[in-house]
Amino acid sequence: GIVFEENENDGLVRIVDIVEGSNAAKMRYKAQLTQQMASVPQVGDVLRGFTTTTTLYGVGALSGTSLPKREVQFIDVDNLSWLILVDRLRRGRKLDGPAQYVLERES
């Protein structure tokens, strides 16, 4: 429910939209009611990091004696190319649980 774009001027990845009906939009609506907007993602926030899932293939997984393992990793966005960042964002799956984002807001 959060749309990110890379800013061409400063290279920072920012929230440009929050999709209506998404969990992020529901969080924003609830925060508006309780006057706690500082605790929810907002358009303009800068993405600094996030969690994603990686599949680890050990020797057993490669030989067929065990299953690959899924591991949640933290990705630092600084100095990461846009294409790699998008690839990492897409790796997360709903079954892995909600993604965690580190956002920075200009004051």
Side-chain angles (χ1 to χ4, degrees):
I2 299 176
V3 180
F4 295 102
E5 276 186 11
E6 182 179 31
N7 184 296
E8 293 178 8
N9 296 325
D10 58 17
L12 297 175
V13 176
R14 298 181 187 272
I15 295 176
V16 294
D17 192 20
I18 296 177
V19 180
E20 288 302 320
S22 68
N23 287 340
K26 291 173 188 173
M27 287 173 50
R28 182 180 61 187
Y29 179 70
K30 182 178 178 183
Q32 286 172 334
L33 293 174
T34 60
Q35 299 182 6
Q36 306 225 349
M37 291 299 290
S39 64
V40 296
Q42 296 182 36
V43 171
D45 287 354
V46 176
L47 180 65
R48 291 297 185 185
F50 60 94
T51 58
T52 191
T53 307
T54 301
T55 305
L56 302 175
Y57 296 92
V59 175
L62 295 174
S63 65
T65 59
S66 68
L67 296 173
K69 295 180 182 179
R70 296 185 61 73
E71 178 178 279
V72 177
Q73 294 182 332
F74 179 78
I75 304 295
D76 180 3
V77 172
D78 293 341
N79 302 316
L80 200 61
S81 79
W82 175 248
L83 293 176
I84 292 173
L85 186 147
V86 170
D87 176 63
R88 299 299 188 274
L89 280 171
R90 289 182 178 157
R91 288 185 184 192
R93 298 193 179 158
K94 193 170 188 174
L95 63 92
D96 296 321
Q100 302 294 315
Y101 300 100
V102 175
L103 302 169
E104 179 179 58
R105 184 168 301 145
E106 295 177 1
S107 49

